[in-house]
Amino acid sequence: MAITSKYEPVIGLEVHAEMMTNSKMFCSCRVVDSVTAPPNTAVCPVCLGMPGMLPVINKRAVEFAMRVALALNCTIQPDNVFARKNYFYPDLPKGYQISQYELPLATNGWLDIALESGERRRIRIRRVHLEEDTGKLTHLEDGSGSLVDFNRSGVPLLEIVSEPDMRSVEEARVYAMKLRQILRYLGVNSGDMEKGVIRFEANVSLRPAGSQALGTRTEVKNLNSFRALAEAAAYELERQAAILDASGQVVQDTMGWSESRRETFSQRGKEEAHDYRYFPEPDLPPLQIAPAWIEAIRAALPELPDARVARYTSALGLTPYEARVLAEERPVAEWFEAAVTVGGAPKAVANWLINALFSLMNEHRLSIDQVKLTPAGLVELIGLVDKGAINTNTAKEVLAEMFASGRPAGEIVQARGLAQISDEAALAAVVAGVLAQNSQQVANYLAGKETLRGWFVGQVMKATGGKANPALVNQLLHEQLTRLEGEQ
Ligand code: ADP
Ligand code: MG
Ligand code: ZN
């Protein structure tokens, strides 16, 4: 690939994220599921753009936007003005979108990302502003027409614009994924990519390696998945490199992405801000945000993933891998912390979660908040293992049953007679029985085939239904085999 040596990729992302409020941005219509709700059932004269209707700002949407702005280290502007962005499209009944232009909600933030190589990069955020989503068009496959659903029109939409700080497709993908993770952590967006609640626009250019000036960019619109984002950006970089290699010039343009052909295509010449005839929205007063409001939102922010990972490694002794896995999603992190709060040793809880509970969740396609096992239940189970009441293998069986039924560990152990056999005399008899019944293996062992030791352990476990205390079995085997060796 010619790109990496001769040219440096430059990528800036515009991310549109719907805010998960109950009602829409400027009216009291409910925000409904764009896939399952019957079309045009959550609409009213305001979001249908009837003349003479007055919009009202949704306070909760502003608060959600403030959460995001603060989590991205932005400065929230005290004076916000909504603006009309005028353009015609069949999914936009008003003929304009209420957005923010000169005075956005927040500016000058950053998001730190970590690359596969371990390298960390800081991506600056240029601005975060609030607007409203459009309706949804469905173009009929037989070409006979298009359908429009206005349920989505007027849903609060946050636009997060980065500086052109990304230098590879990987950085763009990691940035986008991290942003989604934070939106989910903040409880402002479901992250449900298939439902289009987060959409990306990739601005892509190349410049000669070592140059500081920005090259001419193209902008790929409407990317609905991380895969589409990465593929479209990679495709544009290749396309631009080929143009530059042939001493041509990249034309600034707005592109679409064809999922079926996996290539970009030109949509139109690049529109400029003045094409939209922005002007302050006359139906809305300026939105003033007092410092006290900002501080209240800041104080209520959840601890974010990076901070959690740092705390899990430094204060709780987890490995960076364990910390990342547990901090990945907020409900999992909170479950883990609840277990630690009721007395679970962090390392043991992490182990059981990552190595046992996650596979059960995967197998049954359940998320942590659908699981019947409680944090306290897991801690009880770990306690039974620590006390020697059950061995680790039995504990895994018990966990599976707790997962299925929600019954407490102690009850399952009792009801199923799973308690570990730690009675030395009883176990010694079992060990002696196993050795007596397998004289050939004993002879082989005594002749030097030491690997048979594990096999003997297995036989004892089998004879006790897996309930024998493994440490005791090993000790007794050692004693009895040593004695037999002496008798030889
Ligand atoms: P518009 O709103 O018209 O798309 P902006 O100037 O607001 O234009 O830029 C939008 C995005 O494009 C930002 O994320 C910015 O970082 C990115 N960007 C601007 N210039 C370049 C460039 N030369 N190469 C790559 N990205 C760019
Ligand atoms: Mg743009
Ligand atoms: Zn409405």
Side-chain angles (χ1 to χ4, degrees):
M1 183 161 81
I3 301 169
T4 41
S5 50
K6 260 198 276 179
Y7 310 113
E8 181 179 49
V10 174
I11 303 174
L13 290 186
E14 292 164 86
V15 179
H16 282 101
E18 284 180 6
M19 295 290 98
M20 240 170 19
T21 46
N22 292 325
S23 59
K24 292 188 181 179
M25 187 66 222
F26 300 114
C27 62
S28 56
C29 288
R30 283 193 323 117
V31 171
V32 295
D33 188 302
S34 64
V35 175
T36 56
N40 298 307
T41 49
V43 292
C44 74
V46 175
C47 56
L48 286 176
M50 301 291 176
M53 289 298 132
L54 288 178
V56 177
I57 299 170
N58 179 338
K59 184 176 180 190
R60 192 105 176 115
V62 176
E63 291 186 341
F64 280 12
M66 288 164 71
R67 282 188 205 171
V68 177
L70 292 173
L72 296 177
N73 309 291
C74 291
T75 305
I76 294 184
Q77 304 303 315
D79 296 301
N80 276 260
V81 171
F82 284 94
R84 281 194 188 178
K85 182 180 183 180
N86 298 282
Y87 68 99
F88 170 79
Y89 209 66
D91 62 9
L92 188 71
K94 288 204 294 278
Y96 60 86
Q97 178 191 33
I98 303 181
S99 180
Q100 293 187 291
Y101 181 55
E102 276 164 353
L103 297 170
L105 180 90
T107 53
N108 292 329
W110 74 83
L111 178 61
D112 288 332
I113 58 171
L115 305 180
E116 197 83 50
S117 64
E119 192 194 339
R120 296 182 72 84
R121 302 254 304 123
R122 174 160 293 185
I123 309 301
R124 290 169 302 156
I125 308 289
R126 181 180 289 179
R127 55 186 276 151
V128 173
H129 74 248
L130 260 173
E131 54 189 32
E132 55 177 335
D133 211 344
T134 60
K136 208 170 84 181
L137 288 173
T138 304
H139 304 293
L140 296 176
E141 272 172 27
D142 62 7
S144 63
S146 299
L147 304 174
V148 64
D149 175 7
F150 289 119
N151 282 347
R152 204 180 69 177
S153 109
V155 168
L157 196 63
L158 198 66
E159 180 166 338
I160 302 156
V161 183
S162 83
E163 292 293 343
D165 282 354
M166 287 156 265
R167 297 288 173 267
S168 67
V169 172
E170 188 202 352
E171 287 180 26
R173 198 178 49 81
V174 172
Y175 167 87
M177 290 174 65
K178 181 92 180 263
L179 204 48
R180 172 179 180 269
Q181 182 192 31
I182 288 176
L183 293 170
R184 280 162 51 88
Y185 247 83
L186 297 172
V188 303
N189 182 289
S190 68
D192 219 336
M193 309 288 293
E194 301 89 73
K195 292 189 174 159
V197 297
I198 303 180
R199 282 113 59 186
F200 308 111
E201 278 168 42
N203 294 268
V204 178
S205 66
L206 287 175
R207 62 184 174 193
S211 152
Q212 289 305 305
L214 291 174
T216 304
R217 70 172 152 138
T218 54
E219 176 175 358
V220 191
K221 294 249 184 207
N222 278 321
L223 300 166
N224 290 321
S225 66
F226 298 117
R227 180 171 171 216
L229 168 64
E231 288 187 2
Y235 185 91
E236 266 310 289
L237 290 171
E238 289 288 345
R239 193 184 66 81
Q240 294 181 13
I243 294 172
L244 297 176
D245 277 345
S247 307
Q249 273 184 344
V250 174
V251 180
Q252 183 164 346
D253 201 357
T254 300
M255 324 284 290
W257 171 246
S258 163
E259 276 292 334
S260 50
R261 285 177 282 123
R262 316 217 80 76
E263 61 186 35
T264 60
F265 57 90
S266 170
Q267 283 189 324
R268 53 172 185 261
K270 169 74 185 152
E271 78 285 352
E272 300 286 342
H274 63 246
D275 294 330
Y276 290 120
R277 300 288 190 276
Y278 279 102
F279 64 86
E281 168 59 60
D283 289 340
L284 287 173
L287 170 65
Q288 264 145 15
I289 300 181
W293 193 16
I294 299 175
E295 290 322 308
I297 299 291
R298 195 197 303 278
L301 285 182
E303 187 182 26
L304 292 172
D306 283 359
R308 268 186 224 249
V309 169
R311 186 163 58 82
Y312 290 177
T313 50
S314 66
L316 301 182
L318 302 191
T319 65
Y321 168 77
E322 291 166 336
R324 269 200 312 277
V325 171
L326 294 178
E328 179 66 27
E329 291 183 21
R330 188 173 158 192
V332 172
E334 284 173 351
W335 203 100
F336 164 70
E337 291 185 29
V340 172
T341 303
V342 296
K347 199 77 186 169
V349 173
N351 248 316
W352 279 97
L353 266 172
I354 295 171
N355 299 321
L357 186 56
F358 284 178
S359 20
L360 286 167
M361 284 162 55
N362 274 339
E363 191 184 322
H364 298 270
R365 300 189 172 285
L366 293 177
S367 62
I368 196 101
D369 33 54
Q370 297 170 307
V371 162
K372 288 193 187 126
L373 176 75
T374 60
L378 177 63
V379 173
E380 187 203 339
L381 180 70
I382 295 172
L384 291 177
V385 178
D386 287 348
K387 277 195 317 212
I390 52 175
N391 64 35
T392 309
N393 275 334
T394 307
K396 283 189 183 141
E397 264 177 65
V398 175
L399 183 79
E401 180 152 347
M402 295 171 84
F403 183 87
S405 68
R407 284 170 70 198
E411 201 179 300
I412 296 169
V413 169
Q414 272 236 308
R416 291 183 40 190
L418 291 173
Q420 175 163 273
I421 303 171
S422 297
D423 176 336
E424 191 167 338
L427 268 189
V430 178
V431 170
V434 164
L435 295 182
Q437 277 159 32
N438 296 288
S439 48
Q440 186 56 54
Q441 277 80 358
V442 172
N444 292 346
Y445 176 85
L446 294 178
K449 201 166 173 222
E450 296 200 355
T451 50
L452 279 170
R453 171 72 78 93
W455 186 82
F456 291 131
V457 174
Q459 295 305 302
V460 175
M461 283 297 176
K462 209 160 141 193
T464 58
K467 293 183 291 187
N469 177 332
L472 196 50
V473 172
N474 269 307
Q475 181 204 318
L476 292 168
L477 261 174
H478 179 73
E479 284 170 16
Q480 298 196 19
L481 287 167
T482 312
R483 200 164 57 232
L484 289 173
E485 209 170 2
E487 287 166 5
Q488 252 186 340

